[in-house]
Structure formats: C-alpha cells, structure tokens
Amino acid sequence: MEYEIDVSRLRRDMKDYYGTAMFNGFPMAVMDLSKVERMSDRELVELAQKNGVDLRKYIV
C-alpha cells in the first residue's frame, strides 16, 4: 500500500534535526544537512526511514 508523504514538512523536520545536531557538538552534521537540502523526495524518505523517523506523522 502506498501513501502520500508531506515531503516539504519531512524535509523541514530533517533539516531541523541535522541543524540541531550540528550546533550540539556534531559539526559533521553540516554535511548531512547539505545533502538533505539536495535530495530527491524518494531519497529523503529513504534517509528518514534509515534514521528511524515515524513516517506515519507525515501521511497526508
């Protein structure tokens, strides 16, 4: 079964996640933040899944 994901909201939350990590002692997170900004929608969803994000919150 396929769902429609609010990718804009997911991208914003993932940028916040990596931005917070960057300022909390993980300066290499800036590279991940840059990647999140350039990822396709599919890549972003895959990254979120890999990071354990509950995608049910983003179903529209």
Side-chain angles (χ1 to χ4, degrees):
M1 181 179 283
E2 294 200 20
Y3 298 98
E4 185 176 339
I5 301 292
D6 184 347
V7 181
S8 297
R9 186 171 147 229
L10 176 59
R11 189 176 309 275
R12 184 180 63 238
D13 288 353
M14 292 297 289
K15 286 169 60 174
D16 183 52
Y17 172 79
Y18 284 112
T20 300
M22 185 176 64
F23 289 108
N24 283 317
F26 298 99
M28 294 304 290
V30 71
M31 294 174 66
D32 293 322
L33 179 60
S34 177
K35 288 178 188 176
V36 166
E37 292 173 341
R38 294 188 319 264
M39 286 181 168
S40 70
D41 293 350
R42 181 174 299 279
E43 291 171 326
L44 182 66
V45 169
E46 290 171 0
L47 177 67
Q49 288 175 319
K50 197 183 309 185
N51 281 289
V53 174
D54 183 2
L55 293 176
R56 292 177 294 184
K57 297 184 331 184
Y58 299 94
I59 294 174
V60 290

